[in-house]
Amino acid sequence: MVDNLLSKVNISAMKTILTTDKYEAWFNGLKDSMAKKRITARIQRMEDDNFGDCAPVVEGVSRIHCGSGYRVYFIQNRIEIVILLAGGDQSTQEKDIEAAINLSKEL
């Protein structure tokens, strides 16, 4: 009985991470391999419901910081689904937030 309860708790705690084409293009275009590893590690922790340093931005869009000034913008759709909308760094922050908001409205 306890084993069944633990399995159910573990399964329900996992998040499904989805991405937009914009996020994929940004991530695949990153040349900084260490930043890519850090971002991937942060996303993997999000799957386990560990969002770490994250904060709401505006209109349901939130962000996580990922090392050297990189940010990933996301929304949480229902309890178990997280959608990565866009990414960027400090120099493109305003444009990235605007793109994330627009993408979130299209979903």
Side-chain angles (χ1 to χ4, degrees):
M1 178 88 170
V2 173
D3 289 335
N4 289 340
L5 177 61
L6 291 175
S7 295
K8 289 178 184 176
V9 170
N10 189 25
I11 289 169
S12 67
M14 293 294 293
K15 304 281 185 204
T16 300
I17 306 292
L18 304 175
T19 62
T20 62
D21 291 341
K22 180 166 183 63
Y23 172 83
E24 288 292 327
W26 169 76
F27 184 80
N28 291 332
L30 282 177
K31 296 183 183 357
D32 183 343
S33 62
M34 186 56 73
K36 286 180 103 167
K37 289 177 184 176
R38 285 186 184 125
I39 292 165
T40 299
R42 285 297 305 270
I43 302 308
Q44 289 171 339
R45 287 194 301 268
M46 288 173 76
E47 287 179 320
D48 292 330
D49 204 23
N50 178 1
F51 286 75
D53 174 21
C54 85
V57 177
V58 66
E59 296 185 38
V61 174
S62 297
R63 65 98 189 111
I64 56 172
H65 283 206
C66 301
S68 309
Y70 293 104
R71 291 155 172 76
V72 173
Y73 299 93
F74 68 94
I75 58 172
Q76 188 161 347
N77 184 356
R78 299 189 305 234
I79 293 173
E80 71 280 0
I81 299 175
V82 174
I83 304 170
L84 306 180
L85 300 167
D89 58 33
Q90 288 177 318
S91 68
T92 59
Q93 184 173 356
E94 288 182 31
K95 180 181 73 165
D96 299 331
I97 292 170
E98 184 177 328
I101 291 167
N102 291 335
L103 285 165
S104 72
K105 290 177 180 177
E106 292 176 18
L107 301 174

